Amino acid sequence: MSDATEDPRFQDLQVVCSGPGIRFYAGAPITTRDGHHLGTVCIMDQRPREFGPSKLAALQALARHVATLLEMRQATKRQQAQEQLQLLLAHDLRGPLGAASGFAEVLASSLAERATPAVRQALQSLQTGLDRSTSLLQSLLSWAAERDGHVTRQTLLMDLRALTDTAFEQAETAALLKRVRLCNEVDAGMTLTGDPRMLLSALRNLVFNAIRHTPVDGQVRVCGWQKADGAVELQVEDQGQGFERRADAGVPTAALHRFGLGLQLASDLVTRLHGRLQIHPDLGRGLVSLHFDAGRDAALLLATAPISSRLN
């Protein structure tokens, strides 16, 4: 609208007839991807103006940008609320889960000779579920403490084969109950710089997840090697039905949240270690790879160094 006094729709409005005496107006709607109109980005002036197509296109682009920012802010708020709820649940459930796990062990021991096969199987399933849930809660709390800066991130040289052994030890009960063999095929002497607590938490979640999807008397393998370009590759493989069968119908397998919180946590932890986690949905078995590029050690050391040392 170049001049409101010449437009019958607006010439009698108070903002035109008296103060502030609007003459020029241009506006573009703020519309979400769902088609909801949230408001308008507008320009006003007290004197008539001409507003060409290029300027109108720029104003519309600005309105789209505002809509995107508002949607991002809303998504961030939802994510923060979800994370806070997860942490509250983790804190509140850790004690009861620990007590239930101990009771399940006592019950299994006391009924070891008298229980029927069906009862023993039920107790094994109960123990496996409790162990995995306890591990997941611990990983969630550790991840949140590191994310919020409540613990100091370590930068150490990690022995990846030894770290895999530790992850296997923590998952040993779950593996024994299903008679799943845990095979550590990480190359001896392979190392990586980073926080061992973070990588151990990621590996532990992946191993528990692999055991859960592996059939009885199956096998879970963790392989690791260094590529020709110096990059480090770790793979966790199970004998389950594969990620393409585990996904919800019509949902891309790249959407990690569809495979549980454990895989999400592992992916976030690996990202914080300057690596990347990838699932392989088309192999007919469960396979997750962790990739750490060559040269990331120097970048990680620089990122965690004091600011004063970075300036020298």
Side-chain angles (χ1 to χ4, degrees), residues 106-117 119-120 123:
V106 172
L107 190 61
S109 299
S110 63
L111 297 178
E113 297 180 356
R114 295 176 292 161
T116 64
V119 171
R120 284 197 296 269
L123 288 173

Side-chain angles (χ1 to χ4, degrees), residues 87-128:
L87 290 178
L88 289 173
L89 289 174
H91 278 289
D92 291 344
L93 291 176
R94 183 168 55 173
L97 269 177
S101 181
F103 177 73
E105 286 188 24
V106 172
L107 190 61
S109 299
S110 63
L111 297 178
E113 297 180 356
R114 295 176 292 161
T116 64
V119 171
R120 284 197 296 269
Q121 180 64 39
L123 288 173
Q124 289 174 356
S125 299
L126 173 63
Q127 188 65 56
T128 300

Side-chain angles (χ1 to χ4, degrees), residues 2 20-26 43-49:
S2 299
I22 300 299
R23 296 294 180 267
F24 167 79
Y25 175 89
I43 304 172
M44 292 178 285
D45 200 351
Q46 293 174 319
R47 58 190 178 91
R49 286 181 177 275

